[in-house]
């Protein structure tokens, strides 16, 4: 029976064949332990000299790392491994022998591993991170489909800039200028006026010269937009969504979390409602904590966000930032016109902002005024203004950065390990 490592659990005490690769091995005179991987998981294959042909035992002892194989044997229980079973190998067929695989079990530096990202993806830890990423993607579709959202795909080539003009990737669009999308939000607002509740999930680009553990040049964003939802309604959707992501990973990625040695107790605490702190209170808090460098009106940096996050066990919403440090489209706070109805969701454990969101201005005159104040080209926002001309409604939305969410939930230090082929400040290869 041909099957996979993951499905082998259904073949206890039966003989199966698995197509895979040799991840690692150790052997003595009488026994060889093969660490096999096949994409669905990692499993130990035990080759006992006395129970196989001499050729098979010699082969087992000599197979090189990352050679591709068909391995046949009986699946038996193994209570010591995370998987719960292993294979008593009977025969091995080499498909392709690999020589001098560059990533050996010894430690390699990050730059070396990033240069070999196409191979590094095969390692146990990287495999676990991608499986968690996949679970977060699956759970995202599940959450929004189950809650009445329609997926709408905004364009990637655009003529205007939603999040400020300094971080745009410029390209030619025949005779016109175009930019790679830094957010699909403005199009999602149009979609919300057609479908009520919508979400997008796609690549976004920021020509940001940031070289931090939180920044990628190309990242994937989930952007829900909801007609008739005010700021408070949107925060509720956000905390439910994020809780769903965490619970799905806890439930469906147990082996991967173990591989990554993730402290799951911290994740298990994530439940609604999340705490909320206003920007004003956050500034006061930071000053009390000894941050002399922050003044009202300035944006928070990573150390500030981490200090605020460390004060809570849960992700925390920082709400109502000053108008002047946020994009043009945010609805003014009726209680303080110097601030807007927005929130950043800060993940625990120093992972920083995972969501940015707000209520959107729905008044035409105010939107026109903001576009002017921000010196944006009114003509390229004409479609956006139409949404305020024809049946404007209060609406809100947010964007979750996939890689930041994956980094936090899987507990990896740097977002570069959460993207299969990360685009970084100095890296476009592989
Ligand atoms: O806060 P941002 O810039 O918000 C927007 O783009 C809004 N238009 C979203 C919306 O309301 N529809 O980005 C949203 C999220 C951030 O919270 C962060 O998680 C992620 O996108 N993000 C990045 N992730 C990795 N690398 C970068 N350079 C990122 N910039 C933002
Ligand atoms: Mg933001």
């Amino acid at each position: 029976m041909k099957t996979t490592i993951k499905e082998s659990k259904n073949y206890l005490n039966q003989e199966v064949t698995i197509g895979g690769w040799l991840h690692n091995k150790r052997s003595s005179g009488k026994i060889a332990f093969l660490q096999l991987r096949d994409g669905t998981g990692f499993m130990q294959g035990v080759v006992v000299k006395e129970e196989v042909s001499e050729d098979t035992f010699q082969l087992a002892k000599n197979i090189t790392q990352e050679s591709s194989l068909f391995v046949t044997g009986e699946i038996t229980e193994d209570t010591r491994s995370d998987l719960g079973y292993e294979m008593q190998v009977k025969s091995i067929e080499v498909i392709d022998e690999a020589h001098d695989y560059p990533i050996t079990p010894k430690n390699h530096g990050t730059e070396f591993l990033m240069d070999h990202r196409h191979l590094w993806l095969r390692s146990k830890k990287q495999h676990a991170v991608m499986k968690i990423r996949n679970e977060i993607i699956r759970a995202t579709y599940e959450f929004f489909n189950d809650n009445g959202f329609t997926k709408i795909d905004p364009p990637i080539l655009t003529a205007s800039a939603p999040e400020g003009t300094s971080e745009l990737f410029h390209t030619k669009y025949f005779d016109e200028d175009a930019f790679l999308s830094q957010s699909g939000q403005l199009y999602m607002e149009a979609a919300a006026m057609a479908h009520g509740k919508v979400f997008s999930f796609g690549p976004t680009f920021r020509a940001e010269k940031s070289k931090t553990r939180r920044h990628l040049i190309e990242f994937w964003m989930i952007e829900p937009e909801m007609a008739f939802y005010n700021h408070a309604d949107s925060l509720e959707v956000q905390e439910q969504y994020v809780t769903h992501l965490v619970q799905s990973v806890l439930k469906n990625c147990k082996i991967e979390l173990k591989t990554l040695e993730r402290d799951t107790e911290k994740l298990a605490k994530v439940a609604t409602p999340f705490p909320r702190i206003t920007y004003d209170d956050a500034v006061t808090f930071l000053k009390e904590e000894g941050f002399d460098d922050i003044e009202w009106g300035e944006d928070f940096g990573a150390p500030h966000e981490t200090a605020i996050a460390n004060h809570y066990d849960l992700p925390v919403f920082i709400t109502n930032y000053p108008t002047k440090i946020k994009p043009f489209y945010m609805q003014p706070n009726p209680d303080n016109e110097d601030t807007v109805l927005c929130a950043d969701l800060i993940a625990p454990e120093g992972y920083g902002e995972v969501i940015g969101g707000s209520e959107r201005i729905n008044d035409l005159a105010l939107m026109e005024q903001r576009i002017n104040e921000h010196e944006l080209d009114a003509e390229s926002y004409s479609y956006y203004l139409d949404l305020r001309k024809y049946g404007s409604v209060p609406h809100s939305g947010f964007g979750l950065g996939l890689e930041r969410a994956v980094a936090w939930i899987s507990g990896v230090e740097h977002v570069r390990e959460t993207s299969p082929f990360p685009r970084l400040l100095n890296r476009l290869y592989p």
Side-chain angles (χ1 to χ4, degrees):
M1 173 52 101
K2 212 166 167 180
T3 187
T4 61
I5 289 175
K6 192 171 180 194
E7 292 305 313
S8 288
K9 63 176 182 293
N10 302 319
Y11 297 97
L12 220 55
N13 305 318
Q14 295 174 51
E15 190 169 296
V16 299
T17 297
I18 284 165
W21 293 263
L22 183 78
H23 184 60
N24 200 352
K25 70 166 191 284
R26 74 199 152 79
S27 60
S28 66
K30 294 194 175 89
I31 194 160
F33 296 101
L34 310 180
Q35 299 305 321
L36 303 165
R37 57 168 202 89
D38 78 336
T40 71
F42 292 75
M43 181 176 76
Q44 174 160 274
V46 186
V47 194
V48 181
K49 187 175 178 4
E50 288 189 346
E51 290 176 15
V52 295
S53 70
E54 184 55 28
D55 283 355
T56 300
F57 191 68
Q58 284 312 316
L59 184 60
K61 280 186 76 167
N62 295 323
I63 317 173
T64 49
Q65 192 192 351
E66 287 305 317
S67 290
S68 47
L69 317 162
F70 285 117
V71 191
T72 301
E74 187 185 333
I75 302 297
T76 56
E77 199 179 332
D78 172 25
T79 49
R80 289 155 304 178
S81 77
D82 295 343
L83 193 65
Y85 49 90
E86 62 185 10
M87 180 192 270
Q88 308 304 319
V89 177
K90 300 248 160 65
S91 65
I92 301 166
E93 181 194 329
V94 176
I95 304 167
D96 181 50
E97 203 175 294
H99 292 286
D100 304 320
Y101 186 69
I103 305 178
T104 58
K106 72 162 196 191
N107 276 335
H108 297 280
T110 303
E111 281 308 300
F112 178 87
L113 291 168
M114 292 299 289
D115 284 342
H116 295 84
R117 183 62 175 166
H118 51 296
L119 302 176
W120 191 25
L121 284 174
R122 302 179 184 192
S123 80
K124 205 169 181 179
K125 184 178 167 198
Q126 300 306 312
H127 181 268
V129 176
M130 285 306 127
K131 285 285 193 257
I132 290 174
R133 178 182 168 114
N134 179 61
E135 176 59 20
I136 290 174
I137 293 169
R138 191 203 63 76
T140 291
Y141 280 94
E142 180 177 72
F143 179 85
F144 290 110
N145 284 324
D146 287 355
N147 285 285
F149 287 71
T150 300
K151 180 161 184 276
I152 299 282
D153 304 318
I156 290 171
L157 287 167
T158 64
S160 59
E163 298 298 309
T165 48
S166 60
E167 299 167 354
L168 283 170
F169 270 106
H170 180 242
T171 181
K172 284 314 271 187
Y173 191 77
F174 306 108
D175 294 336
E176 288 179 65
D177 286 315
F179 308 101
L180 297 185
S181 175
Q182 53 178 187
S183 160
Q185 180 196 320
L186 307 193
Y187 295 99
M188 297 311 289
E189 289 184 51
M193 301 309 140
H195 290 268
K197 293 196 285 183
V198 294
F199 74 109
S200 67
F201 194 163
T204 44
F205 306 85
R206 305 268 167 111
E208 248 176 304
K209 295 257 155 84
S210 308
K211 210 177 169 183
T212 77
R213 52 179 280 222
R214 299 166 176 187
H215 286 92
L216 292 166
I217 304 301
E218 176 180 315
F219 65 97
W220 283 61
M221 188 158 37
I222 293 108
E223 294 190 274
E225 195 68 34
M226 300 153 290
F228 308 106
Y229 276 51
N230 65 25
H231 176 54
D233 299 333
S234 175
L235 294 190
E236 277 180 33
V237 175
Q238 292 173 46
E239 61 196 5
Q240 285 162 11
Y241 168 45
V242 168
T243 302
H244 181 69
L245 295 183
V246 172
Q247 283 173 354
S248 298
V249 171
L250 281 172
K251 181 164 165 245
N252 298 323
C253 297
K254 293 197 174 76
I255 291 178
E256 288 80 7
L257 290 167
K258 223 168 167 183
T259 296
L260 296 168
E261 297 173 7
R262 182 67 171 101
D263 181 351
T264 51
E265 265 174 42
K266 288 191 175 141
L267 293 179
K269 284 187 194 150
V270 174
T272 59
F274 296 169
R276 290 141 167 79
I277 179 174
T278 63
Y279 171 90
D280 291 6
D281 288 345
V283 171
T284 308
F285 166 80
L286 288 170
K287 284 188 185 293
E288 282 166 10
E289 292 286 299
F291 285 90
D292 303 324
D293 58 333
I294 192 82
E295 287 304 328
W296 196 97
E298 289 170 5
D299 209 355
F300 297 143
H304 307 117
E305 287 179 356
T306 301
I308 296 163
N310 285 346
H311 193 62
Y312 305 91
D313 278 345
L314 294 171
V316 51
F317 287 113
I318 305 177
T319 65
N320 304 349
Y321 281 78
T323 313
K324 64 176 187 186
I325 56 169
K326 285 293 179 189
F328 71 96
Y329 51 71
M330 292 186 180
Q331 177 73 14
N333 176 5
D335 299 329
N336 175 358
E337 297 272 333
D338 293 333
T339 64
V340 281
L341 294 178
C342 74
D344 284 357
L345 182 68
I346 313 298
E349 302 170 65
Y351 285 94
E353 179 197 327
V354 285
I355 291 182
S358 67
E359 188 168 328
R360 323 305 192 186
I361 293 174
N362 59 66
D363 178 71
L364 177 63
L366 180 59
M367 185 59 90
E368 283 172 335
Q369 184 191 325
R370 285 285 192 273
I371 286 176
N372 272 330
E373 284 166 3
H374 284 254
E375 295 174 3
L376 299 169
D377 168 29
E379 209 174 302
S380 58
Y381 290 90
S382 165
Y383 79 94
Y384 191 61
L385 291 169
D386 274 355
L387 309 176
R388 279 79 190 162
K389 278 185 199 158
Y390 307 114
S392 190
V393 298
H395 62 287
S396 301
F398 61 94
L400 174 127
L402 174 64
E403 290 79 7
R404 296 233 185 128
V406 176
W408 162 47
I409 295 174
S410 50
V412 301
E413 174 75 10
H414 199 297
V415 286
R416 67 184 162 219
E417 289 185 42
T418 67
S419 168
F421 294 99
R423 308 289 86 161
L424 301 164
L425 199 49
N426 299 317
R427 180 172 294 282
L428 194 55
Y429 175 91

